[in-house]
Amino acid sequence: MADGGDTPDTLRDYLKTEYKKATGGTLTIEEQGWGDALAKLQTALPDADNTPDVTEIGNTWSPTFTNVGAFSDISDMYDELGGDKLLTSFVDVGKVDGKNYALPYYFGSRYVFYRKDLYAAAGVEVPTTLPQLTEIAQKLHNDSTSGFYLGGEDWRNGVSWIFAYGGDLAKQDGDQWKSSLSDPKSIEGLEALQELYTSASNAPVTEADSTPWVNINTQPEAAGPEAATIIAPGWAHWSIGDLAPDPKDDTKQVATWNDEVFGAYVLPGVDGGVAPVFAGGSNIAISASSKNQAGARELMKIIFSKEYQEMLGANGLGPANSDYVSSLGDDQFAKALIESALGSKLTPAAVGWAGVEGSGLLEEFFGKVNAGGDVASLAAEYDKKIDELINKS
Amino acid sequence: MKRKIASIAAATAALVVLAGCSTPSEAPNPDDAKGQNITFWLMGVTPRTLSVTT
Amino acid sequence: MSAPTRTPARARMSSPAPGPRIQPRRTTGVPYVLIVPALIALLLGLGYPLIWQIVTSFQKYGLSQQFGKPPEFVGFDNFANLVWDGEFWAVLVRSLLFCVVTAAVTVVIGVLMAVLMNAVGRTVRLILQISMLFAWAMPVAAATTVFIWLFDRRRGVVNYLLDAIPGVDMNRYDWLGNPLTFFFVASVLIIWMSVPFVSFAIYAGLTQISEEVMEAAQIDGAGAWQRFRRIILPMVRPVLSIVLLLQLIWDLRVFAQITLLKDAGSKSGDFDLLGTYIYKLGTATGDFGMASAVSIVVLLVTLAISWVYVRELIKEDEAQ
């Protein structure tokens, strides 16, 4: 699953207008929630009467759906849509036997947001290595404010620690994948994560993909924020800042970014540099059962056009085509996004990966690690459970 | 009266069966994009509408 | 149930009509024709999914099959896998416990509410009935959301009130954080939603008890408890047993409340009941064969529970 940040209205209108111009037909855009998207795709895609003609799909689900034959072969359009300029790692998860089925739609990434005021008060600096991050988080930590707010089951953020220590979720052996949580490097990373979580986060062990940005804002009538540091998808910066009633609707609050109070940095690596984070973003593909293949291909051309790619960038979504990445701008968010995205990693391109995500095993495993369990024995246990699903389609 | 009810019931039954069997008829030419109405599924929520408070 | 039960049932159908006798020759094909639409709807609506499920439970049916690859017949493999799956047994036992406890508490509270409604004056009864109707009419999603707020770790009123008791530290207590308190919250929610149905049904039964009987018992010196135990309970027993049966079945296949609570809490399998477990197996991980096998097991468990009751009901029928 990818970061939920998504196509704003102006972009949708653009697609509809351009599609009408190109074909005279109507483009209907339907929004699916990430939560039940997997279930909906499974049932709708095989059914010619109900399938979307074109669909966005979480990059980590692409291998599963591509392998079972859910999408049309679009290798003949590959060069026209951007070819080698398209984000390679995303192109690869949408490929089977050298043929392209799903292509990158946009990329996102995760980086760290922090409270400058709390850092200054505690006399700590922005960390440059991962162990340093744990150290300063412990200094900032107390019962009402987490030094680093991170949910126990939040594997999409927690996995960065495995990556940072050189480990991985799974390794490929021939055409089979094997879960590699027990790899010594993965264990090292998990132990570092466990230390950070148990000593510097007040988040419940059962919290997974949540809305961490609400914790770094100072809530109305609260003495201070719940967190001094969080890690979140890049677009979360729209929701971080000083809170004030929305002028249009005073039952709601809007956040205005304040450079005095808030800052951002990329997650540092173990020995400095940048830690690889989970690559957010999504792919896009044409449903194989669609009766409107030609129309769907027209839409693909519009999506991969220079204009649309630059519109994505202007809205903070990483364009699939590297020629247009500059459209993200050069403010601090764009810089952090690009810097963290360059080193980011995808989940294993295994056929059964969507099943592994759907099973909730990763949440369960990270939750048990962060609850203080024995990392090595838990890793062995969950390697076995994940192995049962990872090669299954 | 009964015959009338019976015939209505039979007609309803026939309709139900027919509805189950019928398929949408005209299929547009899949190779020509002209006039094709298509559906595009997008995922997720727009970030700017996300809540900022707990 | 075959031979002895059929006779009274048939006898009842034909005998109690003292009015004009129905002429056999008048029964034309009309009733059969009339039943056809209902039958078709029933077959399509219920029969098809059931048959699909039974067939699939004997197949290796994953996402590839969903996308058109022919499924492979594997006999009882899926069921054999279940027998050796520790998680399945844990979920099954957990679900049965949850359903028995929740249904029992629901019925007990429901009966007490019914007795209360019977005892109080009209105005109070009306207030009780209206408030219970509201609870009953509340959509599951809305009710669950409200409960999630009530038990919220940081801002929930439950923690706030408990914490206000001197010597109790419930500040930020995470109710959804461990299975025991999670299922406690789920149980309270489901009881809250199902008590109205139980108490209305029992109350209807109570109004059928004649006042003369109660008065006679009172004159004979029966106390309140004795009257309840010896007269009221036996008289509402048929209603009571059917209501308990329904509650057991509903609570066994509870799904929406658990899913929503899990969304607010943990994704871990320790918080699954049969409903969410099947969903996870089938829709989330794409193993429709195994999911169907578990569904069949649930169906059998439900039939087994119902069987006991149906037999009981039939016996009572005969006794009358």
Side-chain angles (χ1 to χ4, degrees):
Chain A
M1 191 164 99
D3 295 337
D6 192 49
T7 321
D9 286 345
T10 43
L11 278 76
R12 294 171 189 228
D13 292 341
Y14 175 82
L15 288 180
K16 287 181 193 167
T17 322
E18 288 302 308
Y19 183 77
K20 184 115 215 165
K21 259 195 246 163
T23 65
T26 319
L27 169 68
T28 312
I29 295 180
E30 289 174 7
E31 187 169 299
Q32 309 295 330
W34 279 113
D36 52 4
L38 193 53
K40 281 197 173 159
L41 286 167
Q42 279 184 23
T43 44
L45 283 176
D47 177 2
D49 289 328
N50 291 309
T51 182
D53 300 288
V54 178
T55 186
E56 181 184 349
I57 179 168
N59 49 18
T60 65
W61 302 340
S62 297
T64 302
F65 283 95
T66 304
N67 271 288
V68 296
F71 302 136
S72 303
D73 182 357
I74 42 172
S75 309
D76 58 328
M77 299 177 83
Y78 177 63
D79 285 324
E80 185 186 350
L81 298 180
D84 294 343
K85 295 284 171 61
L86 298 177
L87 198 59
T88 320
S89 58
F90 282 46
V91 171
D92 287 345
V93 290
K95 225 179 191 177
V96 177
D97 299 332
K99 289 185 181 141
N100 299 95
Y101 293 88
L103 294 176
Y105 177 47
Y106 71 87
F107 69 87
S109 190
R110 286 155 195 255
Y111 49 91
V112 176
F113 294 94
Y114 73 108
R115 291 284 295 224
K116 285 181 179 163
D117 51 346
L118 297 184
Y119 274 48
V124 297
E125 298 283 321
V126 168
T128 52
T129 69
L130 207 50
Q132 252 181 38
L133 175 72
T134 306
E135 225 172 275
I136 66 141
Q138 286 167 344
K139 274 190 201 151
L140 290 157
H141 188 70
N142 60 48
D143 281 348
S144 52
T145 309
S146 298
F148 193 108
Y149 190 97
L150 183 73
E153 288 186 0
D154 186 356
W155 70 272
R156 290 192 175 85
N157 284 316
V159 71
S160 304
W161 273 258
I162 294 185
F163 293 158
Y165 280 83
D168 221 326
L169 287 169
K171 290 205 165 100
Q172 195 170 17
D173 182 15
D175 59 349
Q176 295 287 298
W177 285 83
K178 266 185 91 63
S179 175
S180 59
L181 300 170
S182 305
D183 182 279
K185 286 175 180 161
S186 303
I187 290 189
E188 219 182 317
L190 286 162
E191 281 170 348
L193 175 69
Q194 191 185 43
E195 195 202 343
L196 175 73
Y197 175 81
T198 48
S199 65
S201 176
N202 291 328
V205 93
T206 50
E207 190 166 313
D209 246 11
S210 62
T211 50
W213 50 88
V214 301
N215 297 300
I216 200 160
N217 291 335
T218 303
Q219 296 294 325
E221 289 162 49
E226 298 268 343
T229 321
I230 60 164
I231 180 165
W235 44 257
H237 76 81
W238 296 114
S239 305
I240 293 174
D242 296 335
L243 299 183
D246 189 337
K248 277 170 275 172
D249 175 0
D250 61 7
T251 63
K252 291 193 178 127
Q253 301 267 322
V254 283
T256 318
W257 181 270
N258 179 350
D259 261 329
E260 303 277 298
V261 181
F262 300 93
Y265 58 85
V266 294
L267 191 73
V270 180
D271 305 308
V274 179
V277 291
F278 173 67
S282 51
N283 281 27
I284 192 165
I286 298 176
S287 169
S289 67
S290 158
K291 293 175 191 157
N292 304 309
Q293 295 290 329
R297 288 164 71 94
E298 282 304 316
L299 179 63
M300 291 295 267
K301 287 180 200 160
I302 299 167
I303 285 169
F304 286 90
S305 69
K306 181 172 188 287
E307 292 76 20
Y308 189 73
Q309 291 286 308
E310 287 183 341
M311 285 173 87
L312 281 173
N315 279 282
L317 303 167
N321 190 320
S322 59
D323 279 354
Y324 311 125
V325 168
S326 59
S327 62
L328 280 166
D330 58 356
D331 62 6
Q332 56 178 329
F333 308 118
K335 279 182 190 153
L337 174 65
I338 294 164
E339 198 181 351
S340 58
L342 283 176
S344 70
K345 275 179 81 133
L346 269 173
T347 52
V351 264
W353 188 257
V356 173
E357 278 194 19
S359 71
L361 283 172
L362 289 164
E363 280 91 351
E364 205 173 301
F365 171 68
F366 275 76
K368 287 186 176 169
V369 165
N370 285 329
D374 178 60
V375 177
S377 62
L378 281 171
E381 185 189 339
Y382 282 87
D383 269 345
K384 227 165 113 194
K385 291 188 178 179
I386 291 169
D387 281 343
E388 277 174 29
L389 296 175
I390 196 166
N391 295 307
K392 207 161 86 175
S393 67
Chain B
M1 182 61 189
K2 266 191 186 149
R3 192 164 293 167
K4 202 170 174 188
I5 295 174
S7 57
I8 292 172
T12 316
L15 275 176
V16 169
V17 173
L18 284 176
C21 301
S22 74
T23 45
S25 46
E26 20 66 77
N29 179 8
D31 296 329
D32 184 10
K34 279 279 165 287
Q36 281 189 352
N37 298 326
I38 66 168
T39 312
F40 177 28
W41 276 15
L42 280 174
M43 304 288 153
V45 283
T46 313
R48 272 172 243 210
T49 64
L50 288 175
S51 64
V52 292
T53 51
T54 45
Chain C
M1 72 177 244
S2 53
T5 63
R6 259 189 211 155
T7 338
R10 196 181 291 161
R12 254 221 218 156
M13 260 169 50
S14 51
S15 67
R21 275 183 65 90
I22 296 164
Q23 304 284 321
R25 64 181 168 78
R26 281 257 205 99
T27 43
T28 51
V30 175
Y32 299 101
V33 176
L34 285 177
I35 211 169
V36 164
L39 211 61
I40 289 175
L42 208 65
L43 277 179
L44 287 179
L46 289 174
Y48 175 73
L50 187 66
I51 290 167
W52 188 89
Q53 205 151 61
I54 293 173
V55 171
T56 311
S57 71
F58 292 105
Q59 287 174 339
K60 188 170 172 288
Y61 198 106
L63 208 52
S64 313
Q65 280 69 35
Q66 179 79 351
F67 281 92
K69 203 170 146 191
E72 183 190 333
F73 181 77
V74 292
F76 282 91
D77 271 15
N78 291 331
F79 293 95
N81 285 343
L82 280 184
V83 173
W84 300 113
D85 186 348
E87 194 184 354
F88 164 69
W89 288 107
V91 170
L92 184 64
V93 170
R94 201 183 297 143
S95 299
L96 285 172
L97 269 177
F98 180 83
C99 120
V100 169
V101 171
T102 309
V105 177
T106 308
V107 170
V108 169
I109 297 180
V111 169
L112 293 178
M113 289 297 281
V115 173
L116 182 67
M117 278 200 282
N118 206 26
V120 295
R122 231 183 109 195
T123 325
V124 183
R125 180 161 63 229
L126 214 62
I127 295 172
L128 272 177
Q129 283 173 333
I130 291 172
S131 18
M132 283 206 289
L133 264 181
F134 275 125
W136 197 42
M138 176 95 90
V140 179
T144 312
T145 310
V146 170
F147 265 72
I148 289 169
W149 288 340
L150 289 176
F151 285 91
D152 185 79
R153 188 170 66 93
R154 294 196 270 222
R155 293 164 176 236
V157 71
V158 174
N159 278 353
Y160 176 79
L161 290 177
L162 288 174
D163 203 45
I165 304 171
V168 180
D169 179 23
M170 291 297 274
N171 188 20
R172 305 210 160 192
Y173 183 78
D174 189 10
W175 288 88
L176 304 182
N178 85 67
L180 217 58
T181 51
F182 176 91
F183 288 115
F184 172 77
V185 174
S187 193
V188 172
L189 164 64
I190 292 165
I191 291 168
W192 181 83
M193 295 198 74
S194 11
V195 157
F197 171 71
V198 176
S199 43
F200 282 131
I202 307 281
Y203 175 70
L206 286 181
T207 55
Q208 299 306 306
I209 300 173
S210 72
E211 294 207 0
E212 289 82 16
V213 177
M214 298 301 288
E215 256 171 50
Q218 204 167 359
I219 292 166
D220 285 348
W225 168 247
Q226 272 181 316
R227 290 202 301 277
F228 177 71
R229 172 83 186 71
R230 304 269 174 206
I231 300 174
I232 297 182
L233 271 190
M235 284 195 146
V236 295
R237 219 185 107 116
V239 190
L240 203 59
S241 34
I242 198 76
V243 161
L244 182 59
L245 170 66
L246 287 175
Q247 288 302 325
L248 281 172
I249 294 174
W250 287 337
D251 292 351
L252 186 68
R253 17 162 268 196
V254 56
F255 174 74
Q257 291 92 334
I258 305 296
T259 306
L260 292 167
L261 286 173
K262 277 192 76 174
D263 283 347
S266 170
K267 301 282 168 296
S268 160
D270 296 343
F271 298 83
D272 274 324
L273 292 185
L274 284 167
T276 50
Y277 181 67
I278 293 170
Y279 181 84
K280 189 191 259 188
L281 272 181
T283 317
T285 66
D287 192 342
F288 297 97
M290 287 292 281
S292 299
V294 182
S295 310
I296 300 297
V297 172
V298 177
L299 183 67
L300 293 178
V301 172
T302 314
L303 283 178
I305 300 174
S306 316
W307 177 237
V308 177
Y309 275 87
V310 170
R311 220 173 39 181
E312 195 78 357
L313 285 179
I314 289 166
K315 262 192 212 151
E316 267 165 32
D317 253 15
E318 275 170 46
Q320 279 166 12

